[in-house]
Amino acid sequence: MSELVNVQHLLKEQSRIIEMLVAENLPLSKILERLTETIAVVFPDVRATITEYNEKLHSLENPIGPRFPRAYLDSMDGLSVGPKAGSCGTSAYINDLVIVEDAMVDPIWEDYRDIVETYNIKGCWSIPIVSATGHLFGTLAFYPDECRAPSQEEVQVFNQFSHLAAMIIDKKRSEEALRLANRVIENSPAVIIRWKAEKGWPIDYVSNNINQFGYTPGLFLKEKIDFSLIVHPKDLARVEGEVDEYLERGLDKFKQEYRIITADGKIRWIDDRTTVTRNEHGEILYIEGVLIDITERKEAEQQVFYLANNDPLTGIPNRRYFKKKLEKELTKSGHTGDHLAILYIDCDNFKQINDDLGHDTGDEFLQHLSKRLRNCLREDDIIARIGGDEFNVLLTGVEKEKDVLKVAERLIRASSEPWEIKGNVYHVTISIGVAIAPMDGTSVDDLIRKADRALYQAKASGKNQLMWYIPKMSI
């Protein structure tokens, strides 16, 4: 199923449902039938059903689902609520979302395998329809055309439909005002926006819950503030370029992730599901999107990436990141013919600091040393802590031997400057081994081993110097 929400139909169909709520003589079943049809429009690869909870019989009855055969709906009528009563019966039992990726193998569908096979049921995700006071009205079920689980963003939108269904039922049963349906939309985490297909993306509709970012609809509609003005400056060119590319390719549905600046200056990550609406001549009428705040997810992803690729003590890249970067640059140089230099660095007398002052002070020294070494390199060069007092450096675009020598001299000079630690002055030197790609090899591990071997020779030859790898060195 495409994860892109068809915003145009979502807006139109929600309006129709609200209009139905106003028509007092329209049966509840007709309104709920319209809701399931709305889901089918928004999610073409998903079928939906709604069942009503019978509190006395503790069962689900009167299933509604226009895209299902009548025989299937009849088989669901009177479904008992319990822990192994399919997705809907179980969802009503535990009063929570139930996700079944494959109904043919999931144990809660064990008693309904014949139904699964007969009506080609793949997965089934069911969510209870519950009133604001916690009263169970029934269940809303989504049947994807393939065996899979929904994404987090899909679940958020499904929850919106569940809340809307609850509001509809509540309204018809208690004759509540139209504000109940509107509350669902405005309390939804998804902000709905419609843009004009003009430079700057002027907005002609935005839902009130844009206020979660500190803005009001009036700011965009009355004061004519373009949406592009709140997109993060570092993301704007990319976002505009992607949109231009999608439109040139004739894509009318696409997804983007980018940052926006909130009214109070904070940065939030946005998941934008976009739909393009065209006229009969293929000309763009407007562009619509559903915006969901994914800041927490992005921050978690960034934190995981940082921990996986950086040394926790010094904050510079670790061995894992260095090897991945080297592999990437080797592939690139294989096409361009550029040369790379791999430097293997080791402190010559770091042990003295550890012995004299302890490991905590030794760690502090390594933090300062990594900063000194990093400041000696170009912006595109990579330095990584391999372990202990050992570092690897990757130099790209090496044209001459002196390019490496200049960097090595800066590294040796920076490290040899005196260190004053706890009133004592220490002189620490470094030794460097160098291997060059592609002359000394074209594989990551081979080049690192050869640079390490050259380092060994540098230390054996007096330390505080650079040594090039030569083939006669044993590895």
Side-chain angles (χ1 to χ4, degrees):
M1 180 194 78
S2 170
E3 293 185 355
L4 301 179
V5 178
N6 190 321
V7 185
Q8 175 193 8
H9 289 294
L10 180 59
L11 287 171
K12 290 180 179 178
E13 295 299 321
Q14 281 181 335
S15 297
R16 291 175 186 172
I17 292 170
I18 292 171
E19 291 172 3
M20 288 180 179
L21 282 171
V22 180
E24 297 292 333
N25 61 340
L26 196 63
L28 175 61
S29 60
K30 290 296 182 182
I31 301 177
L32 295 180
E33 184 174 352
R34 169 64 72 178
L35 180 60
T36 61
E37 290 172 349
T38 302
I39 295 170
V41 172
V42 176
F43 298 103
D45 301 323
V46 167
R47 296 177 290 173
T49 62
I50 294 178
T51 58
E52 178 184 354
Y53 177 60
N54 186 319
E55 189 171 358
K56 292 182 179 180
L57 300 178
H58 202 45
S59 63
L60 299 174
E61 301 177 347
N62 304 320
I64 297 172
R67 295 183 67 188
F68 281 93
R70 184 68 251 175
Y72 175 72
L73 298 178
D74 290 341
S75 70
M76 291 178 60
D77 200 358
L79 178 69
S80 296
V81 171
K84 293 184 63 178
S87 299
C88 295
T90 306
S91 175
Y93 180 75
I94 67 174
N95 197 30
D96 201 356
L97 172 67
V98 170
I99 296 174
V100 170
E101 299 182 34
D102 188 348
M104 185 57 73
V105 300
D106 198 287
I108 70 171
W109 279 80
E110 182 178 355
D111 295 337
Y112 311 96
R113 295 282 191 257
D114 55 333
I115 295 177
V116 171
E117 185 174 359
T118 301
Y119 299 102
N120 194 29
I121 304 299
K122 299 298 184 180
C124 182
W125 319 321
S126 183
I127 187 170
I129 301 173
V130 182
S131 72
T133 58
H135 181 72
L136 178 64
F137 287 143
T139 63
L140 176 59
F142 305 86
Y143 299 78
D145 286 348
E146 59 183 11
C147 297
R148 69 175 185 87
S151 69
Q152 182 179 355
E153 289 78 18
E154 287 173 328
V155 171
Q156 288 180 319
V157 178
F158 294 160
N159 271 304
Q160 180 179 347
F161 279 110
S162 173
H163 292 319
L164 183 56
M167 292 293 184
I168 292 170
I169 297 170
D170 215 5
K171 160 62 182 171
K172 295 301 291 184
R173 290 184 176 178
S174 62
E175 298 301 320
E176 288 261 339
L178 183 60
R179 61 181 176 80
L180 292 174
N182 287 328
R183 188 197 310 166
V184 174
I185 299 173
E186 301 311 330
N187 288 341
S188 166
V191 177
I192 300 175
I193 295 183
R194 184 169 61 225
W195 299 279
K196 296 179 181 178
E198 300 173 9
K199 183 177 178 60
W201 308 336
I203 294 174
D204 65 4
Y205 172 85
V206 59
S207 57
N208 286 334
N209 57 356
I210 190 70
N211 59 17
Q212 65 186 280
F213 302 122
Y215 300 109
T216 63
L219 179 70
F220 300 100
L221 303 177
K222 296 179 181 179
E223 300 184 31
K224 305 300 182 182
I225 299 298
D226 291 346
F227 184 76
S228 60
L229 295 179
I230 73 170
V231 177
H232 196 290
K234 291 185 178 179
D235 291 347
L236 182 58
R238 171 181 63 82
V239 172
E240 291 179 328
E242 289 175 353
V243 171
D244 289 342
E245 179 185 352
Y246 293 142
L247 296 180
E248 288 176 4
R249 291 165 54 191
L251 296 180
D252 289 341
K253 295 180 181 180
F254 49 86
K255 169 184 172 180
Q256 293 177 288
E257 292 183 358
Y258 53 85
R259 293 166 292 178
I260 65 169
I261 308 297
T262 63
D264 59 0
K266 295 180 181 178
I267 298 174
R268 307 297 294 179
W269 273 96
I270 295 299
D271 178 302
D272 182 355
R273 314 294 181 92
T274 302
T275 299
V276 179
T277 300
R278 303 175 186 268
N279 61 20
E280 62 273 17
H281 304 295
E283 299 168 333
I284 298 175
L285 296 177
Y286 42 81
I287 301 173
E288 299 167 313
V290 167
L291 278 56
I292 299 176
D293 189 335
I294 57 170
T295 303
E296 291 184 2
R297 191 192 82 193
K298 296 296 289 188
E299 289 177 346
E301 290 173 355
Q302 292 167 357
Q303 181 67 8
V304 169
F305 179 85
Y306 180 86
L307 294 175
N309 293 279
N310 289 77
D311 174 52
L313 176 62
T314 62
I316 64 175
N318 58 17
R319 181 197 302 268
R320 179 178 182 271
Y321 180 84
F322 183 84
K323 295 179 74 171
K324 287 196 303 182
K325 184 67 174 179
L326 177 54
E327 181 70 46
K328 182 178 179 180
E329 291 298 330
L330 285 171
T331 300
K332 180 179 176 181
S333 66
H335 298 295
T336 63
D338 291 340
H339 292 75
L340 309 175
I342 296 84
L343 282 61
Y344 209 120
I345 302 173
D346 182 69
C347 294
D348 294 324
N349 45 355
F350 171 68
K351 185 175 182 298
Q352 181 184 353
I353 295 178
N354 264 344
D355 291 345
D356 290 355
L357 303 174
H359 291 286
D360 289 344
T361 302
D363 288 346
E364 184 180 347
F365 164 79
L366 289 173
Q367 291 171 340
H368 289 296
L369 176 62
S370 66
K371 292 179 182 178
R372 280 195 186 182
L373 298 179
R374 172 67 262 184
N375 291 336
C376 294
L377 303 175
R378 301 169 301 178
E379 184 176 351
D380 293 337
D381 297 331
I382 299 295
I383 182 170
R385 181 178 177 227
I386 304 305
D389 58 346
E390 295 182 337
F391 300 84
N392 279 168
V393 171
L394 172 62
L395 305 180
T396 58
V398 175
E399 297 181 359
K400 301 177 182 179
E401 181 179 300
K402 67 178 182 180
D403 294 338
V404 180
L405 290 175
K406 286 181 180 179
V407 174
E409 288 171 358
R410 290 199 300 268
L411 293 170
I412 291 173
R413 185 167 56 251
S415 64
S416 62
E417 293 177 3
W419 300 82
E420 184 173 347
I421 306 174
K422 293 185 177 181
N424 298 316
V425 177
Y426 292 85
H427 294 273
V428 179
T429 60
I430 61 173
S431 297
I432 304 175
V434 182
I436 301 293
M439 287 86 76
D440 295 330
T442 56
S443 76
V444 171
D445 291 335
D446 187 36
L447 287 165
I448 292 176
R449 281 197 302 269
K450 289 175 178 177
D452 187 22
R453 183 57 189 172
L455 168 64
Y456 176 81
Q457 293 295 336
K459 296 179 78 70
S461 300
K463 304 179 180 180
N464 194 29
Q465 61 181 307
L466 174 146
M467 185 73 72
W468 302 88
Y469 171 78
I470 54 178
K472 69 179 182 180
M473 293 178 179
S474 171
I475 62 171

